[in-house]
Structure formats: C-alpha cells, structure tokens
Amino acid sequence: MSKIVLKNVYKHFDKKVTAVSDFNLSVEDGEFIVLVGPSGCGKSTVLRMIAGLEEISSGEFYIDGKLMNDIPPKNRDIAMVFQNYALYPHMTVFDNMAFGLKIRKFKKDEIKKRVEEAAELLGLEELLHRKPKALSGGQRQRVALGRSIVRDAKLFLMDEPLSNLDAKLRFQMRAEIAKLHQRLKTTSIYVTHDQTEAMTMASRIIIMKDGVIQQIGAPKDVYDNPENTFVGGFIGSPSMNFFDGRIVDGQFVVEDVRINVPEEKMEYLREQGFVGKELTMGIRPEHIHLLRGGEEAGQTNSILSKIIVSELTGAHTLLYSMLGTQEMIAEVESRTNVSPGEDVYLTFDMNCVHFFDKEAGIRIRPEKSEVLVG
Amino acid sequence: MRKKLNYKRMEGLQGYVFILPWIVGFIAFTAGPLIFSFAASFTNYNITSQMDFVGFDNYENLFTADNLFWTSLYNTLYYVLFSIPLTTAGAIFLSALLNQDVPGIRFFRTIYYLPAVLSGVGVYLLWMQLLDPGTGLVNTALGWFGIPGPNWLFDPDWTKPALIFMKLWSVGGGMLLYLASMQGVSKSLYEAAKIDGASSWQQFRFITIPMITPVIFFDIVTSLIGGFQIFQEAYVMSNGEGGPVNSMLFYNLYMWKKAFESFDMGYAMAMSWILFIIVFIITIINLKLAPRWVHYEGEER
Amino acid sequence: MEEVEVAAKKRDEERVASAHAYFDNIHTKRKLLSLVNFILLAAGSLLILSPIWWMISTSLKSMAEVMTYPPTFYPREWNWDNYIKTWKAAPFDTYAINTITITMLVVIGSVLVNSFIAYGFAKVPFKGRGILFAIVLSTMMIPGFVTLIPQYVLFSKLQWINTYFPLVVPAFFGSAFFIFLLRQFYMTIPNELIEAAKIEGASHFRIWWTIGLPLTKPALATVAIFSFNGAWNDFLGPLLYLNDESLYTLQLGLQVFKGEMNTQWNYLMAGSLLVLLPVIILFFFFQKYFIQGINLQSGGK
C-alpha cells in the first residue's frame, strides 16, 4: 500500500527561476502515473523531488501520510530507473541488481533469491555474470528495471527510461513495462516527453508546461476533452488543428470561410457570451473528412481546399492544405488518391470540435463555468 | 525561521568532510606559511634567535645594495626568455610530425616522450658527462662537423645555453600535450579546408594552430611559472655554488643560499615575495592577453 | 551525329583519366611525404636516444677508455662489474630502502587522499564548492619557494628535521594538481550513477569507496605513477630535511657519490642509470597512464 500526495509543491533554482509551481497531486496505490510535457517543463524536477535528489523549495510531499520533505533518498523506500540506466560499469549484472540489497544488509541467500527471481522475470538469467559493457541497449534497460524490482520498493520512479532506445525496442519495452506493472502493481511515476508513451502506458496522465500542471486525467479523457489549446496540441499525433475566428449568425467564421455550428454548441457559446468574440476552434485531423464526388460537394460545411502535400503513413493519408491563411491537416483513409495541387472538398465533423477562448486558450465547456465568465 | 538540519544540509556537511584534508593542508602548508612569510619578510628573522621588525629594509637592500640579486634575476630571465619559446615551438613542431600517419608512429611517440619522464640527479649527471668538453658526446659529435664545441658548463657564457639545451631534450612532455589536443580537432574541418583549397601548411596555420591555442596558452602559463623556479639542475651542476662566475646563480638558488646557508630568512622571504609578485603579474598579463589569441570552442564548459 | 558522340566519349575518358591522375598524384605525394616524415622522425629518435645509449656505454667502459680521445661509441670491453663496484662504493642499498619507503608512503597517501578530496569537489554539493575549488587551482600558481622557507620553519619547530615526516606528511593532505586531475576524471562519471546509489541507500562515503574508487582506477594509476615519479626524483626535499647519511635517499646519495667520484664517469653513469632504471621500467609498462594524465591536463584547459 502506498499513497502519494504532493501539496502546493514549488521548486525554485537560485531563487530566480521557478521550475515547478503549485504542483498538487494525489496518487492512489497501484496507479501508473505518467508525467508528460516538452523538455524544460519541470516534469523531471518533480520526479527528482519525489526521489529526494532535489530539495522541495516549498510545499509538502507525503508517502502513506508521512511527510517526506526532509527524508534522504535512501530512507524513502523508492526505486528509480534513469534515462541512461546508470548501471555501475565495474559491476556484473548480478552485482548491479544486488547492490541496493547489500547496502540494506540483506542476507546473502535472500539477495540471490530476489535477484534470480527478477532476472527470470526479465529474461536476464543468462546474463547475470556479464558487465554492462557487454550488453545491448535493451538488455541494459532490463537490468536497470531489474535493479529496481529486486528492492520491492513502495514507489517506482522512471525518468525517460526508453528515450535511449531505437524505435522498435522502445515499442517492445513499452509493452514490457506495462506488463510488469500489471503484474507487480507497484505505484509508479513515469516521466517522458513522448505523448504516445504517455497515452499507451498511463492510468493517469499529467501534462505539464512551464512548471505548471495543465491537465490531469485518464488518457482517453485528456485526448477527448483537452482543457486548453496546449494540451490539445500536445496530445495526439498529428496535432490538433486550430483555427482563429469568431461566431457570427450561428456560423464560425474563419477569414472568408463560414462553417455551421451545431445548435447544442451554439447554445452554450451564446449563454456564456462568446458570440462575436475572438475564439479558437480545435479539431483533430481524423475529424476532417474528404467528400467524394459532385453530389456531396454541394452540401453545407464543405470546404474547397487545394492540397499542398499528401503523405501516406500506412493506414492513413495526411492531407496538408490551408484554411484561409491557417494550416490544416486532415487524416483520411489511405486508399484515397489525392495528389498535390488537386482541389478537393473537405468537411468538418462539427460535433467533435472544441472551442477555446482565444486569449486564455482555455476550452469553453458546455456547462456554465463561473471562472470563465468571471 | 530557523533552518532545519535537513538531509541536504547533512549532505553539505559530508562535502566538507571530503575536502577536510585539503582544507587542513591548505591552512598548514600554504595559507599559514604565506602569511608567516609575508610578515617575516619585514624582519631580520634567522629562525633561531632574532625576529625584529625592520620595515622595508630587506626589500630596499635587495633593490639597491645587492648585486647578486640582480645577477640572479638576470640569469633567471635569460633562461625563461630563451627556454620557453624554444620548448614551446619545439613541442608544437614535434607534435605536428607525430600527428601523421607514419609506420611505427606509436613507437616514435614513446621514444620522444621518454626523456620527459626522466629527471633528478641521474639526468643532470648524464648531461654533465654529455657536455664534458673532453670526453662528452656533444662536443665529439660537433667535432665530426668540424665545429669546435664550447666549454659548456665551465664557460660562464655557455652555462645557460647548456641548461636550455638539456631542457630541449625533454621537449616530448609538451609534445604529448599538444598531440592530445591536435587529435581532438575534427577531421571534417580539414576536409572542409581541403575543399576550400588550403595547402597542408595553410591547414596547419589556419586550423591546427588556432584549435590548439588553449593548450598553447596553458603550456605557456605553466612553463613560465615553472621556468622562474629553476633550481635543481643549477644546484647539482654547479655543486650548489651557482658558478662559474655566478652564471648559474638563478633566483631560487640565490634565495636558497640566503635562507639555508647564511640563514638570512627574513631577507630570503622578501626575495620569495618579489618572485611571487613577478610571476603573478606575468600570469595576469597572460590572462589579459589570452582573449586576443586564444580560441575557445563554443560554450561547452 | 556520330562525331558528336565520339567527341563526348573522348571528353568523358579524358575527365576520368585526369581524375585518376589527380588521385595518383595525391597518393604518390602522400607516400613521399610519409617517407620524408619517417626519415625525419627516425633521425630525431636517434638523436633523442643517443644520450641514453651514451650513458649505458660509458657505464660499461673502463676509466682508461672513458679518457681516450676521440671517445669511443661502443665500449671495447664490457665491464659489467662497474655496476657492482658502484653499488658497493656507497651505501646504495640503504639509500634504495629509504627511497622505496618514502615513495610508497607518498604514493598511498596521494592516491587515497586526493581521490577522497576530488570526490567531494566533483560529486557532493555544498556551499562554497566553486570558490574553494578555484582556490585549489590558484594554489598551483604559487611558486614553491614562497612556501618552502616558512614550511621549513614550521617543520623545524615541530622537531621534524632529519625525519621523513616533512617528505611524507604533506602527501596526506592533498595536492592541487592531483585534485584537479581526479576531479576532471570524476566529472566524466554521470551523476545518475551517484544518484542511483543514493536511492539504493548508500552514503557518500560508501559511494566513494564502492563506486568512486573502482571507476577512477585509470586516473588513480596516473596519480600513483606521477606521485611515484615525484617522490622518487625528489632532490630538494631530502636535501633540505635530511642530515644523517643513514636517512639519505637515492637522489641525495647520488649527489654525494658525485662529489666523491669526481669525474669517474663510468661509475657515475652506472649509478645514474641504476637510479633512473625504475622510472624507465615503469614508463615502458604504464605508458598509457602517463599519457592519460597529460590528456586530462589538456582537456581541463
């Protein structure tokens, strides 16, 4: 059982730079939390504060109700996997995995038992006598995981553990870590800049930017209902399209293009007084469809676009074009043959769009929100 | 708010434990002695009986009444002025030769480096024999070319050149320093230069040299500090006298005689401070001039 | 039509041929340069090695042969017993034991203490670390003689004159150069390694012992060799602090021997060679670590 709480945590460097501000999080036992964000967003700093490698400037951090701020790393009962694995180059795989146990004065046969168990779990039995130098990247990664597993720690921390691997191995290890978590159920906090990793592994994602939490939620939640334009743009690949415009006569007007807005969306936009104001509309590329043939071309909400680039990714084709002066990407079926320079009709699935307050970048919710009207 | 003794502060304390030996050593063997020596340079201290304040007398006597002080300063400057440009240029030249793809290059590097690790009385004895006017190798070899060799260590005009000659034998030490940095220069720079039409010499002049200027700078600064402290070879080769005709009486040798032969400790310490100031000023000048010619790669460090 | 094709083909051929000529030219040029280089280096090596050969050759000659003119390059007869006579002419075994004792103590102290201090400067964050390290570096600029005289005063007040304490004790309080060298090396060890060990529950002292020491072995070997060389070749320290001949080191003994032998070059060269031999052997076996020390130095600037 381990429950983690961070309350109003701040990190300042040299009293000038604020790397993390007002970080609040409570993690339930067995959760797999992924901290994601662009580099420099403070996600690693949060992890290092949890590990005790960085001091918490202000705020509180609890593990199972015990205040941890002033507890040195070794007494926090945590295990950590580093980006470059941090394997001790002069020790064998066995000694690397046994090191923490030796320091904690475990009995020899207990150490052996635990290391062998972990080795079996990770398929490292044959490599126990080797030194890290003689291992491949994926094997090193496994040793680093094994070193953490043997400790049977309360909390499992991972700092970009896959970013030194090539694409194929990364994919494989991602699944392996997920499997491992399902089996061991250790509360884990995982840091990455890769939104795919976050989406596929997390039970909850925390998206950070400039030291501030942007949104916390389950992967699906975060994908379907981004709190703001940053989250919308960061999660999902290719990125969400954003168009600046305003509501006029029940239509969203982007430069000289007019798009009908469904009545239910109009309702709350009207209620909250956004009609006529500067707005940003966000739509994911898979919600832009290609219209086939002349009979469909005439229908409402069809937009004539000149395709600039057409990219086949395998299952889909990405069509790059412009909406007025703003870039637009549509993700359509891969079998549609559209060549660059061709004029096609595209249509938006307006039930799936989000409207954001242009200035604040915050999503306008259906229910009336006090804060937004303010 | 009172600061708690948290683990970060505990870690800081551990840091001081780690460097404690150095702190103690610094106070006992460097800072303490420096302060004592500075204070004592204004006294007539003789280690046993007297330590009276004499104001600037020591310094005044050095500059106005002590011919040997000037002689020793001249000898030292002579040595520094000739040995440093020669060894620096020699080392760069040698490292350029040894930076080529020639069969047996590792063997050559070893040979050229060997003399640099040899030092002490054995080497000085060897050179006394090599430079012996009658039975030595140097004059014998000069004789093959019909050059009458000088009397080296017995001729006051030739003692310092003899020491510089000996110094050049161990030029391999500096060579390795330069070689290491030459090998760090990216191959692509030379390839780009070749495409731009640079000749081998131009590549050396406009790529190699600028890229190794940080090491040249480092070498010059440290050899200047070292050069001013020449002592052992002069002591051994002149039997601690500095002869003939005081031609090997270098600054430190003179200071040694004042301190440990006539026990004019106060006087000797005043001398040591003058040397310290000279070395300090030269180093500062070097540091000030450095930005004009030393090329630093990016902001990596 | 055909004429045009033929002309084009001919042009192509010419182009290919001239390209071949260009590369052929480069190859010959490169080979020639490499040959010139090789000859230059080989001649230079002979020059560099000739003093050492001269030392060996002289050490084997009879005194009569040493005095013949012109000197001989090979000994006419190889008097190996010169070495036995030399060794017996002075208490060289005592000198050797003394030197080995001092050297071993200095090497042990230098390796352990400097590694400890350097770990603190490299891997333990504490207040004032940057400034203190800058002080460490700046002490390298202080001419040795400035602190030598007051240190002598200190050691004489401690009644340490005519003991090995002044030669050995300072080695246990760190040396700026070695601290710098080892810190450079520690900086190449990723901090994550230290952090991983911290999380696993190790204290800094434990990390230094179980991770720091084994991982810095190559740099420690460099420190061991440099400090061995320093202690083995130290002449000034023993000259200043040792009075009893029973305490003399090889360097000091050789200097005394030189006074006694006057110009008995064969014995003097035999003695010199015997004293230099351990350093030469060490150099050939551990050359890698000498070079590593130099690389760390040049990387640091």
Side-chain angles (χ1 to χ4, degrees), chain B residues 219-238:
Chain B
D219 186 29
I220 288 179
V221 168
T222 51
S223 10
L224 269 170
I225 295 172
F228 271 99
Q229 301 186 68
I230 176 174
F231 170 79
Q232 290 201 47
E233 42 272 69
Y235 184 94
V236 173
M237 293 166 106
S238 71

Side-chain angles (χ1 to χ4, degrees), chain A residues 256-259 288-291 293-294 296-308 320-324 326 328 341-348:
Chain A
D256 56 355
V257 182
R258 298 168 160 269
I259 307 159
I288 304 179
H289 306 298
L290 184 64
L291 290 176
E296 286 178 68
Q299 83 180 53
T300 48
N301 280 0
S302 65
I303 301 151
L304 183 68
S305 327
K306 188 187 276 302
I307 301 303
I308 302 163
Y320 293 76
S321 59
M322 304 295 275
L323 186 66
Q326 301 172 42
M328 166 161 73
E342 204 175 307
D343 288 316
V344 296
Y345 282 98
L346 297 172
T347 185
F348 291 0

Side-chain angles (χ1 to χ4, degrees), chain B residues 11 16 112 121 229 236 239, chain C residues 41 127 144 151 204 251 258:
Chain B
E11 189 176 30
Y16 294 118
Y112 283 97
V121 179
Q229 301 186 68
V236 173
N239 288 317
Chain C
L41 285 173
K127 254 201 188 124
Q151 272 177 21
H204 271 299
Q251 297 290 333
K258 170 192 155 224

